Amino acid sequence: MVKNKQRAARVEIEMIHRRTFLSGSGGALVVAVLGGLISTPAEAANGNIVTGQALRSVNAFRKANGRGALQSDSALGRAALEHSLSMARSGRLNHSRFQARLRNHGIRGAAAENVARGQPNVASVVASWQGSRGHRRNMLGNFSRAGVAVARDPASGNRPFWTMILAR
């Protein structure tokens, strides 16, 4: 029983390597992130965009690596939230319909996406992405805007599903 509790208490850290896409000109990077755990049970998926928290961490990382700061973009945040909700509902990490999601939110140009599952807060998901070569490359890429979102669903054990979209 103790072993099961310990296993349940551990945060599952799984990420899918990012993919970079080009789709026209322009673009945006949005980071929508929910800091902390949601403790209220819900019947449906819920999510949040907390761009400010994520950009503080990401921009500090970019500055330390000689890169310029990212600006918040609400369209990227909405696209990230849409994807986090979709992953939370299905319980699976993926990059499904990335280009279509961007187009649906009016986003054009070069863009990249990082996804993750299980990290309990903004700091831990940003640290996870920093430690992954592909995700790190995205975060330090030639982008000017960002959005990050997180979502949970009881159907997938209320684990947090994170999406970061970066764009020019």
Side-chain angles (χ1 to χ4, degrees):
M1 184 164 173
V2 170
K3 193 172 187 178
N4 287 338
K5 285 184 180 181
Q6 289 174 338
R7 189 174 308 138
R10 259 185 281 156
V11 175
E12 176 184 49
I13 300 176
E14 293 182 22
M15 294 182 283
I16 292 179
H17 291 293
R18 60 81 188 132
R19 290 191 273 175
T20 302
F21 296 92
L22 297 177
S23 61
S25 63
L29 164 78
V30 180
V31 178
V33 179
L34 174 66
L37 298 171
I38 298 171
S39 59
T40 306
E43 293 183 14
N46 60 66
N48 219 347
I49 296 172
V50 188
T51 302
Q53 287 178 319
L55 284 181
R56 282 191 292 277
S57 297
V58 172
N59 283 336
F61 175 65
R62 285 176 61 91
K63 182 178 181 179
N65 285 276
R67 303 298 298 179
L70 300 169
Q71 299 299 311
S72 173
D73 182 290
S74 61
L76 287 174
R78 290 188 303 273
L81 179 58
E82 176 185 313
H83 191 54
S84 288
L85 287 166
S86 174
M87 291 189 301
R89 287 182 191 112
S90 72
R92 298 182 59 118
L93 289 174
N94 64 68
H95 291 283
S96 298
R97 300 181 30 80
F98 180 62
Q99 291 179 314
R101 278 185 283 114
L102 295 181
R103 279 192 306 274
N104 290 342
H105 289 277
I107 301 160
R108 303 284 184 263
E113 177 177 72
N114 289 350
V115 297
R117 172 178 60 194
Q119 295 80 355
N121 55 46
V122 173
S124 62
V125 76
V126 171
S128 293
W129 285 330
Q130 288 172 355
S132 163
R133 184 173 41 191
H135 295 101
R136 177 185 177 93
R137 184 174 42 240
N138 282 347
M139 290 174 37
L140 295 175
N142 185 24
F143 299 112
S144 60
R145 296 179 285 168
V148 178
V150 63
R152 299 166 186 272
D153 191 306
S156 60
N158 280 319
R159 292 175 298 187
F161 284 79
W162 302 88
T163 302
M164 171 189 276
I165 302 176
L166 307 129
R168 287 193 194 130

